[in-house]
Amino acid sequence: MTRFADLGPAEQRARMERTIRTYFDGCNAADVELMAAQFTADAVHYFPPGLDGPWAGNRTIAENWRQLVLTIGSAWSIERLIAEPETLQAVIEWTHWKTRAGGCLRGDEWYVFDPETGLIREIRAFYAAASDGRPEVTLQGYDYSASAYHLAPPVDRPHPDAQYRAPAGEVSA
């Protein structure tokens, strides 16, 4: 089998993007197996201070995201994605929809890929601002709509396996 690091840049870039998008598909579906399969077994997901991180291990990462889907109605959209085969790294800008509370969090993540397999080895998350209880954590004054960002979650919530019910009158996106 060819090492990921030995593939051509175009194929590396395509696989990096596909891996990240498949990971997000798994997050939105609350599919632990699909998420875990995008990571090395010893992958680490880092977070800003105060968020009970880092999460270590592909299964831990996947199970923790599934729990957030089921308890707070999490859904995610990728807004921007840049993959750099030369360094086996990528960066994305995302929105984390917290549908149970009716808000969102916007931020970036830096990805490091394993040179042997092309799986995600590390994620470092950076948020637009510290979460201080506001329903939306976004960049103040930035026109997300004019920049073609998602303005609603990309999937219906609550998830069919959710551990809560949508508030009366709430319309799922």
Side-chain angles (χ1 to χ4, degrees), residues 39-45 55-58 61 120-123:
F39 291 91
T40 60
D42 61 347
V44 179
H45 195 318
W55 295 345
N58 63 339
I61 294 166
I120 301 165
R121 190 176 72 204
E122 177 182 292
I123 299 176

Side-chain angles (χ1 to χ4, degrees), residues 31-143:
D31 184 331
V32 170
E33 297 306 321
L34 185 59
M35 284 184 272
Q38 307 315 305
F39 291 91
T40 60
D42 61 347
V44 179
H45 195 318
Y46 295 94
F47 296 92
L51 297 172
D52 298 325
W55 295 345
N58 63 339
R59 302 244 4 130
T60 297
I61 294 166
E63 289 167 359
N64 286 346
W65 287 133
R66 177 177 168 74
Q67 190 61 29
L68 288 176
V69 168
L70 302 184
T71 58
I72 68 169
S74 291
W76 296 266
S77 51
I78 296 174
E79 308 300 345
R80 307 285 189 274
L81 190 156
I82 299 170
E84 185 180 78
E86 298 80 10
T87 63
L88 301 180
Q89 297 181 82
V91 66
I92 68 166
E93 191 173 18
W94 47 258
T95 303
H96 177 178
W97 303 95
K98 298 179 180 188
T99 65
R100 186 175 186 186
C104 69
L105 171 69
R106 298 202 189 259
D108 294 319
E109 287 178 339
W110 197 272
Y111 288 75
V112 177
F113 291 84
D114 179 67
E116 296 297 321
T117 63
L119 297 174
I120 301 165
R121 190 176 72 204
E122 177 182 292
I123 299 176
R124 295 187 312 273
F126 301 92
Y127 296 177
S131 183
D132 62 2
R134 288 176 286 162
E136 293 190 359
V137 180
T138 60
L139 293 173
Q140 187 172 348
Y142 186 77
D143 190 345

